């Protein structure tokens, strides 16, 4: 599985990388623009990401914008249904607007609130049918 | 702490409900559009449709995600199942067919309902059965990998199990699970019995009056309408026997209304006793019975005997209809009509009111729910807000009680009057007050602005209303087998919320008519060199200080000869009708009880519909105009005044009386010279302006008052325009322009049609009461 971790905070990023390392190849991006570039490159190469962990508060593009941008690209390229990339939001923002915006406007798969709990994250991945262990 | 998190939870759920509702509103047209690409045989999904499917998939996906996060299990599992089916369709392993589209529509309906529940209880518990049924249907649709050859078989759906009306059709049903199932919840049955009981009581009252020979045509019309609605409700709930019986009663009432000769038979008595039969059946239903009527055929025959010989020979079709009409209708896909009716029910019936009546919810709870609803419907309150905060994507709104808004608008109305009284105070006459004049002008300006803002507060765009019509057209066209393309224009036009609610019903009636009677079947259209697919245009626009909602179809148009014939037969016009122009003839269809249909179906043909349309419009001072060209279509225009509270008026005087003339209807005013005036042989006065002739109306004659002068050249003529009609009104003096707050007339003087040419009254600056002229009825 190919994973993209978009997170500007070093500690969080490392933690996620540690947790997800056993699940597959992890790429990292330190801000929204980098995340978009990584997503686009992977798409061009024909090896798109299977999972994206997305922080919201990042410099440049924020996670919400990245998410909507990704969905827009998918729409343009006619990537739909089960082929859409799975996105887990990992953020400290727990207000209703952000949560619903991510779900409804961005069609994210899951929304985890920081601090990230390893078991919870792995459970979500399993639920999405991406777990490396099965 | 717990309180805090509860509050938080509530906020998230509310956000969810609001977002989801918006989403669904987008989703619905997409789904229907998706269905438009379906062709009869094997076909490849077009690129556009594929995109649409992706779009719909994403929306369902969003709903699933959000609902999953909030542990709204029923919504999320259903959305998930829909998503799965869509995925199969997308990849091409299942061929998209109309049943799928219907199924998605149903999922949408379910989600809407569930969202209402969520808004009220913060959870979707209680919808389990429905969710399960829907999920099973969706799953069966997946397991049933339809290929093109199998498709027709799969299309034959079993009838709804829970309905006890018609027996199942004889065809072997392919699979256990019916593709369509419309669930009638106990809650709906309860609502139905309640309403039906009231209707029957009204009918009884009316019949009793009729039996005593005290019934005027109005009572009969009322009576007729009640039984008509009752029949409709029965049909909707699937109580076939009751529907059949009430249908027959309706036919008899129709005969009575048209003053058919019943000979010695007294129709009232059997009708009354049959009413008791209906009541009994209704009682049976409320006791969880099936509403069956023993020997219903016998009763129907009884009523048939009652009908005068030859009555409605053209209508015989109805009385002789085979008992299994319900069955036929189901085969034709009547289910979609039910879903439609249900949707309509949800949309525009005051559900809250019913709930209160039933004691199921307190008034406060319903008020809260309503406010919620408002919030969801309300657009950004003013564009300025958006401008100051360009970054905010979400519209900014707060919830306000409708009552408070109404109070505010009323207060502003009063303020306009107070300002008038202050600025034009008689005490100030003849004084040089430069500074006062300045401040007074400033205040007038502000008040005018305030009033304009106040009017827009209650406005919402018609887009929502129009979108609902998309669904209606889809369902109706599927049912009737006609192909129709509904085009929407001017969806951003704003209208008062109550106005939108009032015109929903009329619009539904008009659309149904357009589809039922206007647009022809594909074969017929091809024969007449028209494209197979009919076009219905629905548009909204601002014109002449009114909002015009126009419904235009390219169907067969109204049949002038038929209307005239019918009008003569019903005694509505004298003579042979050749002196009437097309528009006058067209507008006759709005007379109560007028129907040219040869056949009376369950849907239309009784002539009740158009009457309802007119009455609803009259409630909001609206007008309705029909233009029709035989063979090429019909255009119906609903003209609705922009605001019902405050207008710009011209104050005029006749003798000692003052009148306000709405400025928007005034074209010009002038003092005529005697040579411009001629008198026609019939004694009517006519004034000639720029080589055109206009009739003169003397206000003092209509209202029987003493004018300063009866010489036209000594007074002033005001040229008034209403639609295509222009006329000149004779008054003594024009006194000035002013903002006018309309106050309704008391019922004893203000009854429609009794006070000619008056639409309301207002209070002048000196405290006098003054009448506001209604230009439409004057002309």
């Amino acid at each position: 599985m190919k994973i993209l971790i978009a997170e500007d905070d070093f500690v969080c990023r490392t933690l996620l990388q540690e947790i997800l390392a056993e699940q597959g190849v992890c790429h990292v991006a330190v801000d929204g623009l980098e995340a978009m570039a990584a997503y686009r490159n992977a798409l061009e190469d024909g090896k798109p990401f299977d999972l994206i962990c997305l922080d919201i508060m990042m410099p440049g593009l924020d996670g919400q914008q990245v998410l909507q941008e990704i969905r827009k690209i998918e729409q343009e390229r006619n990537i739909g249904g089960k082929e859409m990339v799975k996105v887990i939001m990992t953020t400290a923002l727990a207000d209703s607007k952000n949560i619903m915006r991510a779900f409804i406007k961005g069609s994210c798969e899951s929304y985890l609130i920081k601090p990230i709990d390893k078991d919870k994250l792995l459970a979500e991945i399993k639920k999405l049918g991406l777990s490396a262990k099965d | 702490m717990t309180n805090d998190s509860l509050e938080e939870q509530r906020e998230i759920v509310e956000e969810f409900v609001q977002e989801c509702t918006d989403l669904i509103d987008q989703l619905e047209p997409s789904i229907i559009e998706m269905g438009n690409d379906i062709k009869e045989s094997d076909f490849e999904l077009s690129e556009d449709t594929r995109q649409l499917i992706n779009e719909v998939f994403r929306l369902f996906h969003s709903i699933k995600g959000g609902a999953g996060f909030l542990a709204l299990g029923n919504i999320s599992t259903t959305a998930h199942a829909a998503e799965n089916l869509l995925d199969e369709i997308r990849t091409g392993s299942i061929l998209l067919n109309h049943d799928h589209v219907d199924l998605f529509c149903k999922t949408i309906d379910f989600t809407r309902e569930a969202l209402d529940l969520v808004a009220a209880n913060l959870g979707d518990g209680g919808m389990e059965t429905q969710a399960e049924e829907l999920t099973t249907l969706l799953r069966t649709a997946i397991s049933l990998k339809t290929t093109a050859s199998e498709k027709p078989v799969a299309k034959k759906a079993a009838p709804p199990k829970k309905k006890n009306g018609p027996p199942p059709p004889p065809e072997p049903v392919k699979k256990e699970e019916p593709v369509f199932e419309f669930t009638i919840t106990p809650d709906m049955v309860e609502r139905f019995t309640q309403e039906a009981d009231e209707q029957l009581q009204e009918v009884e009252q009316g019949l009793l009056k009729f039996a005593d020979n005290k019934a005027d045509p109005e009572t009969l019309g009322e009576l007729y309408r009640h039984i008509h609605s009752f029949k409709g409700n029965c049909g909707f709930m699937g109580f076939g026997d009751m529907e059949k019986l009430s249908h027959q009663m309706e036919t008899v009432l129709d005969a009575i209304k048209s003053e058919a000769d019943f000979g010695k038979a007294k129709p009232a008595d059997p009708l009354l006793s049959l009413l008791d039969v209906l009541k009994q059946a209704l009682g049976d239903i409320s006791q969880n019975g099936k509403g069956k009527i023993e020997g219903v055929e016998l009763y129907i025959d009884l009523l048939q005997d009652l009908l005068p010989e030859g009555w409605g020979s053209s209508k015989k079709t109805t009385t002789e209809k085979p008992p299994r009409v319900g069955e036929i209708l189901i085969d034709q896909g009547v289910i979609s009509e039910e879903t439609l009716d249900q949707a309509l029910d949800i949309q525009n019936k005051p559900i809250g009111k019913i709930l209160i009546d039933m004691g199921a919810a307190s008034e406060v709870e319903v008020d809260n729910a309503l406010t919620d609803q408002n919030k969801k419907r309300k657009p950004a309150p003013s564009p300025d807000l958006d401008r100051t905060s360009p970054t905010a994507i979400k519209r900014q709104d707060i919830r306000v009680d409708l009552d408070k808004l109404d109070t505010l608008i009323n207060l502003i109305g009063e303020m306009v009057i107070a300002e008038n009284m202050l600025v034009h105070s008689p005490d100030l006459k003849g004084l040089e007050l430069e500074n006062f004049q300045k401040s007074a002008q400033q205040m007038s300006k502000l008040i005018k602005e305030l009033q304009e803002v106040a009017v827009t507060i209650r406005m919402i765009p018609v887009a929502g209303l129009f979108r609902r019509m998309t669904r209606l057209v889809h369902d109706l066209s599927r049912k009737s087998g006609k192909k129709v393309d509904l085009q929407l224009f001017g969806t951003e036009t704003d209208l008062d919320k109550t106005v939108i609610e009032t015109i929903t019903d009329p619009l539904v009636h008009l659309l149904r008519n357009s589809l039922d009677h206007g647009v022809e079947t594909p074969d017929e259209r091809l024969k007449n060199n028209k494209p197979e697919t009919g076009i219905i245009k629905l548009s909204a626009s601002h014109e002449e200080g009114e909002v015009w909602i126009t419904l235009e179809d390219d169907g067969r148009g109204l049949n002038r000869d038929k209307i005239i014939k019918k009008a003569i037969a019903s005694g509505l016009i004298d003579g042979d009708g050749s002196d009437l122009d097309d528009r006058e003839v067209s507008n006759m269809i709005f007379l109560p009880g007028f129907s040219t249909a040869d056949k009376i179906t369950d849907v239309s043909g009784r002539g009740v519909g158009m009457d309802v349309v007119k009455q609803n419009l009259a409630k909001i001072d609206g007008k309705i105009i029909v233009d029709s060209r035989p063979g090429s279509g019909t255009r119906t225009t609903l003209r609705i005044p922009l605001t019902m509270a405050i207008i710009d008026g011209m104050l005029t005087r006749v003798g000692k009386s003052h009148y306000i003339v709405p400025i928007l209807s005034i074209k010009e005013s002038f003092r005529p010279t005697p040579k411009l005036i001629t008198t026609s042989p019939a004694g009517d006065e006519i004034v000639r302006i720029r080589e055109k002739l206009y009739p003169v109306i003397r206000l003092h004659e209509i209202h029987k008052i003493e004018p300063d002068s009866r010489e036209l050249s000594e007074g002033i003529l005001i040229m008034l325009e209403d639609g295509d009609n222009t006329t000149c009104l004779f008054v003594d003096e024009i006194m000035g322009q002013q903002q006018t707050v309309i106050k309704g007339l008391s019922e004893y003087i203000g009854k429609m049609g009794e006070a000619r040419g008056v639409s309301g009254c207002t209070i002048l600056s000196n405290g006098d009461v003054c009448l506001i002229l209604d230009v439409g009825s004057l002309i």
Side-chain angles (χ1 to χ4, degrees):
Chain A
M1 173 167 70
K2 198 170 166 185
I3 305 167
L4 175 65
I5 300 169
E7 168 71 68
D8 62 329
D9 179 65
F10 174 74
V11 179
C12 279
R13 195 164 61 228
T14 320
L15 183 72
L16 278 170
Q17 227 175 330
E18 290 286 326
I19 298 174
L20 296 173
E22 49 189 270
Q23 298 289 330
V25 188
C26 292
H27 295 215
V28 292
V30 299
D31 59 34
L33 293 171
E34 225 179 88
M36 276 319 298
Y39 172 79
R40 275 210 187 88
N41 282 339
L43 208 59
E44 300 291 332
D45 294 348
K47 289 176 203 149
F49 288 103
D50 302 295
L51 175 69
I52 299 178
C53 291
L54 202 52
D55 184 26
I56 291 185
M57 286 190 292
M58 290 189 291
L61 281 178
D62 73 27
Q64 297 279 14
Q65 288 166 319
V66 171
L67 182 57
Q68 281 179 30
E69 194 65 24
I70 288 178
R71 297 301 185 211
K72 218 171 100 193
I73 292 175
E74 283 178 336
Q75 211 179 337
E76 279 162 12
R77 303 198 175 197
N78 234 333
I79 302 172
K82 297 260 147 78
E83 288 151 27
M84 292 185 340
V85 61
K86 307 272 189 293
V87 177
I88 300 181
M89 305 301 281
T90 49
T91 172
L93 296 177
D95 63 292
S96 53
K97 295 247 170 206
N98 262 305
I99 295 175
M100 280 311 141
R101 192 176 154 204
F103 271 119
I104 305 289
K105 295 262 155 58
S107 310
C108 72
E109 269 67 23
S110 174
Y111 196 104
L112 294 178
I113 291 156
K114 284 177 186 170
I116 298 297
D117 182 297
K118 181 179 173 181
D119 296 336
K120 253 195 201 158
L121 177 56
L122 291 178
E124 283 300 329
I125 291 176
K126 199 167 171 184
K127 225 164 76 188
L128 295 178
L130 291 173
S131 185
K133 279 183 184 146
D134 317 299
Chain B
M1 181 63 208
T2 39
N3 255 341
D4 267 8
S5 62
L6 202 78
E7 193 46 46
E8 230 167 70
Q9 173 82 3
R10 177 163 200 103
E11 226 173 77
I12 297 189
V13 169
E14 273 167 12
E15 190 71 28
F16 171 71
V17 171
Q18 186 172 347
E19 292 284 353
C20 261
T21 318
D22 288 356
L23 210 61
I24 289 181
D25 286 346
Q26 292 173 24
L27 191 53
E28 203 161 27
S30 298
I31 290 181
I32 287 157
E33 207 179 313
M34 198 166 88
N36 291 344
D37 197 38
I38 297 172
K39 298 181 189 73
E40 278 317 308
S41 58
D42 204 357
F43 67 99
E44 278 285 307
L45 288 174
S46 71
E47 197 55 27
D48 285 349
T49 311
R50 203 175 286 278
Q51 284 226 336
L52 267 176
I53 293 179
N54 280 342
E55 179 69 19
V56 175
F57 179 91
R58 219 171 55 79
L59 296 176
F60 270 123
H61 186 75
S62 294
I63 294 177
K64 182 190 82 170
F69 184 81
L70 295 172
L72 302 172
N74 294 329
I75 298 182
S76 80
T77 39
T78 330
H80 183 65
E83 190 191 82
N84 281 342
L85 177 57
L86 268 167
D87 201 42
E88 298 283 343
I89 294 172
R90 201 180 63 83
T91 53
S93 49
I94 288 185
L95 204 61
L96 181 67
N97 65 29
H98 285 294
D99 294 343
H100 293 146
V101 176
D102 281 351
L103 216 47
F104 291 133
C105 285
K106 214 168 281 176
T107 315
I108 295 273
D109 290 343
F110 162 80
T111 315
R112 272 221 181 97
E113 210 174 309
L115 282 177
D116 283 347
L117 201 70
V118 170
N121 322 333
L122 292 188
D124 65 349
M127 306 278 295
E128 279 83 4
T129 15
Q130 267 164 282
E132 206 166 305
E133 274 169 29
L134 214 50
T135 331
T136 333
L137 289 184
L138 287 162
R139 290 213 181 107
T140 350
I142 296 175
S143 63
L144 203 82
K145 299 223 170 188
T146 333
T147 60
S149 57
E150 277 176 297
K151 204 175 135 225
V153 190
K155 240 182 169 174
K156 281 213 174 94
K161 270 185 182 168
K162 301 219 164 125
K163 295 180 44 157
N164 52 39
E171 306 97 340
V173 180
K174 201 188 166 208
K175 51 195 174 58
E176 291 297 331
E177 202 58 50
V179 173
F180 296 122
E181 180 149 21
F182 178 72
T183 337
I184 287 172
T185 61
D187 182 41
M188 285 165 65
V189 174
E190 205 177 318
R191 244 189 282 158
F192 160 74
T193 45
Q194 194 116 22
E195 200 177 312
D197 194 42
E198 278 167 24
Q199 280 161 347
L200 286 186
Q201 273 173 19
E202 297 279 347
V203 174
E204 189 166 32
Q205 292 297 324
L207 276 177
L208 287 172
K209 260 194 203 164
F210 171 66
D212 293 349
N213 284 327
K214 279 184 207 148
D216 44 37
E218 211 169 302
T219 326
L220 279 176
E222 194 74 357
L223 178 60
Y224 181 63
R225 263 197 290 279
H226 281 299
I227 200 104
H228 185 70
S229 322
F230 177 80
K231 179 191 75 173
N233 288 352
C234 288
F236 170 55
M237 302 295 290
F239 299 119
D241 286 355
M242 289 165 71
E243 188 193 355
K244 269 184 275 176
L245 185 53
S246 41
H247 182 81
Q248 187 69 341
M249 286 169 74
E250 197 188 327
T251 314
V252 175
L253 276 172
D254 200 15
I256 295 173
K257 219 161 60 109
S258 319
E259 291 171 3
D261 186 16
F262 278 88
K264 280 181 193 159
K266 280 201 182 120
D269 299 340
L271 281 177
L272 272 170
S273 50
L274 286 179
L275 198 65
D276 290 340
V277 174
L278 283 179
K279 272 190 185 160
Q280 227 165 24
L282 198 61
D284 184 39
I285 289 168
S286 59
Q287 311 282 317
N288 293 328
K290 312 234 160 167
K292 278 248 174 279
I293 300 173
E294 291 289 332
V296 64
E297 305 294 338
L298 216 72
Y299 291 130
I300 290 175
D301 286 348
L302 185 85
L303 283 175
Q304 183 63 40
D305 292 345
L306 209 63
L307 285 172
E309 196 87 18
W311 163 254
S313 48
S314 61
K315 301 181 179 179
K316 263 251 156 81
T317 28
T318 24
T319 51
E320 284 174 2
K321 70 176 173 190
R324 288 182 181 179
V325 143
E327 177 187 326
I328 299 158
L329 283 175
I330 281 168
D331 274 350
Q332 290 172 351
V334 86
I335 310 302
S336 54
E337 197 213 343
E338 283 170 349
T339 352
L340 148 82
D341 278 351
Q342 185 199 22
L344 290 175
D345 201 27
I346 293 165
Q347 278 164 359
N348 55 24
K349 289 294 132 191
I351 281 198
K353 226 183 228 165
I354 299 164
L355 282 172
I356 296 172
D357 290 349
M358 285 163 31
S362 76
E363 212 156 319
V364 183
E365 282 166 341
V366 172
D367 275 353
N368 283 343
L370 282 176
T371 336
D372 263 6
Q373 196 182 22
N374 269 344
K375 182 187 168 198
K376 278 178 249 154
R377 284 182 186 163
K378 199 144 291 174
S382 97
D384 289 352
L385 271 177
D386 289 344
R387 238 177 281 149
T388 48
S389 52
T391 43
I393 299 166
K394 283 220 54 64
R395 32 177 219 223
Q396 308 211 327
D397 43 19
I398 56 163
R399 269 176 267 165
V400 184
D401 202 315
L402 254 188
D403 282 349
K404 282 190 191 161
L405 272 184
D406 286 344
T407 320
L408 178 73
I409 288 168
N410 267 337
L411 281 175
I412 291 172
E414 295 293 338
M415 206 158 105
V416 174
I417 296 182
E419 184 241 7
N420 266 326
M421 291 173 95
L422 185 69
V423 176
H424 301 121
S425 167
D427 294 356
L428 301 172
K429 261 206 180 122
L431 296 179
E432 284 287 336
L433 301 164
E434 197 181 321
N435 285 318
F436 175 82
Q437 289 299 343
K438 259 189 208 160
S439 357
Q441 238 164 34
Q442 177 71 2
M443 188 168 88
S444 305
K445 189 171 155 267
L446 283 175
I447 286 184
K448 196 164 180 188
E449 266 171 41
L450 179 65
Q451 171 214 326
E452 273 163 13
V453 172
V455 172
T456 55
I457 291 180
R458 287 177 54 96
M459 304 275 231
I460 52 176
V462 291
L465 172 71
F466 279 14
R467 270 198 225 113
R468 269 179 251 160
M469 299 305 150
T470 325
R471 172 68 180 277
L472 176 70
V473 169
H474 163 79
D475 288 348
L476 285 179
S477 67
R478 266 213 76 189
K479 200 181 136 223
S480 60
K482 294 173 183 172
K483 292 189 180 167
V484 175
D485 183 17
L486 179 69
Q487 301 175 348
L488 305 179
F489 300 94
T491 47
E492 70 289 340
T493 313
D494 285 335
L495 255 186
D496 190 284
K497 189 174 168 301
T498 36
V499 171
I500 289 206
E501 277 161 14
T502 323
I503 60 169
T504 308
D505 267 350
L507 215 50
V508 168
H509 274 295
L510 290 173
L511 255 175
R512 272 194 198 192
N513 273 351
S514 261
L515 261 154
D516 258 10
H517 312 305
V519 177
E520 311 91 331
T521 55
D523 294 343
E524 201 179 330
R525 288 185 67 89
L526 287 175
K527 232 182 271 164
N528 293 329
N529 288 328
K530 289 187 190 179
E532 196 183 7
T533 308
I535 292 173
I536 296 186
K537 286 183 192 161
L538 186 57
S539 60
S541 58
H542 288 280
E543 310 268 347
E544 304 174 15
E546 296 171 318
V547 172
W548 290 17
I549 303 225
T550 315
L551 182 77
E552 199 173 348
D553 67 53
D554 64 346
R556 58 170 78 92
L558 294 171
N559 187 333
R560 183 189 157 105
D561 296 340
K562 215 164 169 185
I563 294 176
I564 290 182
K565 223 160 102 193
K566 174 82 185 194
I568 294 171
S570 340
L572 292 170
I573 50 170
D574 302 322
D576 61 355
S578 54
D579 53 332
L580 297 165
D581 65 25
D582 278 355
R583 182 173 273 199
E584 281 172 297
V585 173
S586 302
N587 288 301
M588 265 188 232
I589 58 170
F590 293 106
L591 298 170
F594 194 93
S595 172
T596 55
D598 302 326
K599 257 188 298 189
I600 298 171
T601 65
D602 289 355
V603 188
S604 59
R606 288 282 189 182
V608 184
M610 288 297 120
D611 193 22
V612 171
V613 172
K614 202 170 180 191
Q615 282 186 359
N616 263 9
L617 267 152
K619 262 191 241 161
I620 50 173
D621 280 338
K623 274 171 240 153
I624 181 159
I625 291 153
V626 180
D627 286 302
S628 179
R629 266 159 304 148
S632 51
T634 307
R635 184 175 65 219
T636 314
T637 311
L638 310 182
R639 296 174 48 171
I640 301 147
L642 207 45
T643 151
M644 296 180 288
I646 304 172
I647 56 163
D648 268 327
M650 185 72 81
L651 184 63
T652 58
R653 186 179 60 85
V654 179
K656 285 190 183 121
S657 307
H658 293 96
Y659 292 94
I660 292 279
V661 184
I663 286 214
L664 281 164
S665 0
I666 299 181
K667 273 182 91 179
E668 61 179 311
S669 52
F670 54 92
R671 191 182 285 265
T673 52
K675 66 172 185 182
L676 289 178
I677 296 155
T678 31
T679 306
S680 76
D684 297 325
E685 282 166 309
I686 292 165
V687 61
R688 192 182 47 163
I689 306 289
R690 290 180 291 272
E691 303 312 313
K692 277 192 172 165
L693 298 170
Y694 302 101
V696 173
I697 299 178
R698 288 170 177 259
L699 200 53
H700 63 87
E701 277 176 3
I702 296 177
H703 284 179
K704 301 194 174 64
I705 37 184
E706 194 53 47
D708 288 358
S709 161
R710 290 176 192 277
E711 280 305 313
L712 287 180
S713 50
E714 285 175 16
I716 285 184
L717 285 178
I718 305 177
M719 194 187 286
L720 299 174
E721 191 184 38
D722 176 70
D724 293 343
N725 299 316
T726 309
T727 184
C728 290
L729 186 73
F730 177 60
V731 298
D732 283 341
E733 189 187 357
I734 290 183
M735 305 182 66
Q737 186 181 341
Q738 77 172 58
Q739 292 277 297
T740 309
V741 182
I742 303 177
K743 305 264 171 195
L745 288 173
S746 305
E747 217 169 88
Y748 58 90
I749 29 175
K751 243 189 176 173
M752 285 290 290
E754 280 175 28
R756 182 176 166 211
V758 175
S759 62
C761 57
T762 191
I763 301 163
L764 294 179
S765 44
N766 59 5
D768 281 357
V769 173
C770 142
L771 293 174
I772 301 170
L773 293 181
D774 175 23
V775 175
S777 67
L778 261 183
I779 296 177

